[in-house]
Amino acid sequence: MIVLKNKSEIELMKEAGRISAQALIVGGEAVKPGVSTKYLDKLMYDYIKSQGAIPSFLNYGGFPATACISINNEVIHGIPGSRIIEEGDIVSIDVGACYKGYHGDNAATFPAGIVSAEAQRLMDVTRESLYIGISQAQSGARLGDIGSAIQNYVEENGFAIVKDFVGHGVGSDLHEEPEVPNYGKAGRGPRLVPGMTIAIEPMVNAVGEGVKVLKDGWTVLTQSGSLAAHFEHSILITDNGPIILTKA
């Protein structure tokens, strides 16, 4: 069942989104060669707690950290630890905050120092595909309009959309209905109506859509070994167009 949010719930989600967005900025600004992923995770944990919120991901389904931090060929769900970020790495951070029972959820991929031209283009295309998807999230449109626009843009640029993992509804639960694929056909799927809150999150591989999960049960890698990028915003559907909730 898709849960529509009322005015008071939307206000709480805006605050959860603000905290989530600022936590992502805190983590992203600290991405540089020589720092550990555990260090980034602690910065985000401390910020979220300082805002009177709770990290959405910590202990969610057994996940052991505040943020998913995925490097290079890791697509999503990387577990922070002792790994040291190196020059030229691209680092995807996915983080959320729960404020008074409501969640924000967002992600971005950050360069560590100077990255390759391919890595930069992958990040640019993935980021742009997110905003193209958001532009389709109009009241009265169909869910498939979002995925179709994202897929077309990514594939036109020679990259591949990950299909094994998708976006989702977000609210009092971190993952709610509906699923929000980053692929599909325009004009298909549930109709978008005011009060819907969804997380759109294209995950893009440089080569091939295939992925595999490590033995840790979390970390998702590209099957090809190629680079991957990930961008995400939580948004609200309104009569006047989509509103990005995860804005700092």
Side-chain angles (χ1 to χ4, degrees):
M1 181 179 69
I2 297 173
V3 180
L4 303 183
K5 310 307 187 295
N6 61 35
K7 186 175 180 180
S8 62
E9 290 172 316
I10 289 166
E11 290 306 308
L12 292 174
M13 290 197 66
K14 285 180 177 178
E15 182 61 10
R18 181 196 69 78
I19 296 168
S20 300
Q22 188 60 48
L24 183 62
I25 290 171
V26 167
E29 288 181 343
V31 169
K32 60 183 178 180
V35 305
S36 71
T37 54
K38 184 177 182 180
Y39 171 74
L40 299 180
D41 193 71
K42 181 64 161 56
L43 290 178
M44 289 180 277
Y45 173 86
D46 289 345
Y47 175 76
I48 291 169
K49 294 292 285 186
S50 78
Q51 299 299 299
I54 299 168
S56 295
F57 299 174
L58 185 59
N59 300 318
Y60 182 82
F63 189 76
T66 291
C68 301
I69 303 180
S70 309
I71 299 176
N72 295 336
N73 66 325
E74 296 172 349
V75 185
I76 50 172
H77 300 165
I79 301 173
S82 60
R83 181 171 179 176
I84 302 299
I85 295 169
E86 298 180 359
E87 179 79 21
D89 284 345
I90 60 172
V91 182
S92 296
I93 299 175
D94 188 357
V95 64
C98 182
Y99 179 76
K100 295 186 178 180
Y102 286 84
H103 295 271
D105 188 4
N106 59 177
T109 304
F110 301 92
I114 299 172
V115 302
S116 69
E118 178 195 38
Q120 187 62 56
R121 197 169 79 85
L122 176 66
M123 290 188 294
D124 291 344
V125 167
T126 307
R127 182 191 301 108
E128 182 63 19
S129 77
L130 169 61
Y131 288 102
I132 287 171
I134 291 171
S135 74
Q136 298 299 310
Q138 306 291 332
S139 177
R142 297 281 187 177
L143 198 62
D145 298 341
I146 297 172
S148 175
I150 291 171
Q151 181 180 15
N152 289 341
Y153 180 76
V154 167
E155 293 179 351
E156 285 168 2
N157 279 277
F159 296 130
I161 278 288
V162 172
K163 295 179 180 176
D164 287 3
F165 296 89
V166 298
H168 52 89
V170 61
S172 58
D173 288 330
L174 179 58
H175 293 98
E176 298 183 347
E177 293 184 16
E179 289 191 342
V180 184
N182 300 298
Y183 60 92
K185 294 185 177 181
R188 303 284 181 86
R191 194 172 296 280
L192 304 178
V193 298
M196 286 179 66
T197 49
I198 59 175
I200 301 173
E201 52 176 322
M203 293 151 270
V204 178
N205 295 345
V207 178
E209 68 183 51
V211 296
K212 59 185 178 182
V213 182
L214 289 183
K215 290 181 180 179
D216 64 19
W218 287 102
T219 309
V220 178
L221 306 180
T222 61
Q223 278 189 351
S224 65
S226 71
L227 296 175
H230 179 205
F231 284 82
E232 175 184 22
H233 272 307
S234 298
I235 70 165
L236 167 69
I237 307 299
T238 80
D239 283 322
N240 299 312
I243 293 175
I244 296 175
L245 299 171
T246 39
K247 274 195 169 182

